[in-house]
Amino acid sequence: MTGPGTNPASTPGPRVAFDRATDGTLRVRLSGRWTLADGVPPADEVVGELERGARRLVLEDAGLESWDSSLVTFVHEAAAAASRLGVALDASSLPEGARRLLDLARAVKPRVQPAAVEDDALTARVGRVALHVWGTAGDALTFLGETVLAFGALVRGRARFRRIDLLHAFEATGVAALGIVALINFLIGAVLAFVGAVQLQQFGAAIYVANLVGIGVLRELGALMTGIVMAGRTGAAFAATLGTMTVNEEVDALRTMGLRPAEFLVLPRVLATALMMPALVAYADLLGLLGGLFVGVTVLDLGTVEYLRQTQTSVALRHAWIGLAKGIAFGAVVALTGTYYGIRCGRSAAAVGEATTKAVVMGIVLVVVVDAVATVVLHVLRL
Amino acid sequence: MSESAQIEVRDLTMGYGELVVQEGIRFTVSRGEVFVIMGDSGCGKSTLMRHMVGLHSPMAGDVYYDGEGYWEADEERREALKRRFGVLYQYAALFSSMTLEENVSLPLVEHAGLAAAAAREVARLKLALVGLAGFEQHYPSEISGGMKKRAGLARAMALDPEILYFDEPSAGLDPLTSRRLDDLVLEVRASLGTTIVLVTHELPSIFELGDHAVFLDAEKKTMTALGTPDELKESPDPKVRAFLSRGRL
């Protein structure tokens, strides 16, 4: 958008001059080159002059070399101030194009929106948070109830979902996760052994590293670390997939076809994750023990057979069973969280990202909370 | 309710949370007609459709199918009522992880309990009816917008519904493709006698297809006109007249 008379590069940038007449007319003379490349001069000075008192504002072309939106922006702000202060405006000497754009921008009055009144008192804020938490809790319970009903339908053989989706979910939550689960748990086993070794060696009790790693990994860390990995991996994937389906109205389409999202989308994912988790945890336990063995043999100079025998004699099998049971719970929690945030996703691309983030954060938090509760309960039961 | 009314929307108030989008909506749709829901952007056309197909519960009022209130019915009856209509969504809403054939087969297998092989046969027929023979094994991401709409129509028609809902079928389509889709809608109505409820603001579609229409006003938050498209052109409401003449009064 360049006005007539495009200028040579050497001409100066935008210039504004004021001229006040005795009859209350404020004349604003605009000259020079008005392009966005030269910047947009603030209209503050014009506004200041208007506020000092004027009856008429004349915007005048006093030798404009070239112009684009820079000029129109300046003029628009000046015109808005004039209108606000009840000052008559005369822009007739401006280039025709700029005048027309100014008219176009002023054609529709800006929408006046009543300021939203938000009570900022502490009680009001606490109330809002409480209502939000109450609403979310109710919604989450509804979701959980629908999922339980879906499992009921599964038991009665009446759940409607595609078997292929279940198989895909098995693959995604099982085989596909082996690599990352192996890496994390091997390293955790090794780190645990290393940290323990530094302390135990001082008492000449290095062999007890096998006890530490054995119980720590089988009872606690194998399941916990796998749960956290799955929250970041599978929970996020579920939320993103179902969130995108929600945005694309695919979930609505299922509903109008008479298919329940709880059965069709949630059930296969929760089922697959809960069933695959014990297998993954068993695998994680093995890799964790191997990590401990690796440090025991290479750093502490313990014999392989000696280490394994110490593990076998000191670590009761119930620790492994407890770990596997926790794995089932963690799997269900991660899958439920991921599918919940996916199905409750908003209707924009940004909402999918938000749903995924929430699914991961809430998934990890819930895994740790469930683990803590389980630890207390098992302690009380003396298991 | 008149004798032939298949759908009746009675005193419907709809909204989100505490925000009322539209209230006092009432009209009937007769068997076999094409009924158009129109109005300016943001007036709640699609929201009204979502209430009619059971995706959004009303704040007040109900939608009656042959005299049976959808929202007052129990879960089992609602499932049965859903069997009576198919929906074509604005962007087709095809399941992206399934081929076109699987998309169309899904309601046949999961809802009607058809055997997989039979469902595939029916799906192929439905896809052929909308001109997509040969695209059965394509995924939605591999076909154009117009083809997606047609595949969506094939899926909506899978269970031979008595009523078809269309949410802005022309959205995002070029005039020719849009016209072909309109022709397809008329063809479906002529051959199957399907009742069609169309949400649109496309004037050519409204005049070409619509037997009756309702106009929802975003500012007044209620319906301001009901009748044939030609009657609406002469509506006492200036906004409705302006809308139907594209602002040229």
Side-chain angles (χ1 to χ4, degrees), chain A residues 160 252 255-258, chain B residues 50 79 82 89 110-111 155:
Chain A
R160 285 180 302 189
D252 288 342
R255 287 203 174 99
T256 43
M257 276 180 207
Chain B
R50 293 174 65 80
E79 292 297 314
K82 274 182 190 167
Y89 289 88
E110 303 293 346
H111 209 230
R155 188 179 67 183

Side-chain angles (χ1 to χ4, degrees), chain A residues 159-162 165 245 248-260 264 347, chain B residues 50 53 55 75 79 82 87 89-91 93-96 98 102 106-107 110-111 155:
Chain A
R160 285 180 302 189
F161 62 91
R162 298 202 315 159
D165 286 346
M245 288 183 77
N248 289 343
E249 298 186 306
E250 291 174 42
V251 176
D252 288 342
L254 278 180
R255 287 203 174 99
T256 43
M257 276 180 207
L259 296 170
R260 293 191 181 92
F264 199 82
R347 300 216 164 248
Chain B
R50 293 174 65 80
V53 301
L55 286 174
E75 194 64 27
E79 292 297 314
K82 274 182 190 167
V87 185
Y89 289 88
Q90 195 166 349
Y91 298 103
L94 295 171
F95 302 114
S96 50
M98 302 182 199
E102 287 171 332
L106 182 71
E110 303 293 346
H111 209 230
R155 188 179 67 183

Side-chain angles (χ1 to χ4, degrees), chain B residues 165-184:
Chain B
Y165 284 94
F166 289 78
D167 188 9
E168 308 212 9
S170 308
L173 297 186
D174 66 79
L176 280 180
T177 312
S178 165
R179 173 66 198 264
R180 265 185 238 128
L181 199 67
D182 283 356
D183 290 345
L184 197 57

Side-chain angles (χ1 to χ4, degrees), chain A residues 92-174:
Chain A
S92 57
S93 100
L94 288 181
E96 198 205 339
R99 227 168 46 229
R100 289 172 69 161
L101 285 172
L102 181 63
D103 288 344
L104 193 61
R106 290 162 59 80
V108 178
K109 292 257 178 292
R111 192 165 83 125
V112 185
Q113 217 174 356
V117 185
E118 190 161 274
D119 194 343
D120 204 33
L122 181 66
T123 44
R125 275 185 282 166
V126 170
R128 273 197 296 275
V129 171
L131 283 175
H132 176 74
V133 169
W134 181 251
T136 310
D139 191 42
L141 271 180
T142 306
F143 176 83
L144 200 59
E146 284 169 355
T147 311
V148 169
L149 287 178
F151 269 91
L154 177 72
V155 171
R156 292 198 309 276
R158 288 176 56 190
R160 285 180 302 189
F161 62 91
R162 298 202 315 159
R163 303 300 176 262
I164 185 87
D165 286 346
L166 181 63
L167 294 179
H168 278 309
F170 271 127
E171 188 197 1
T173 55

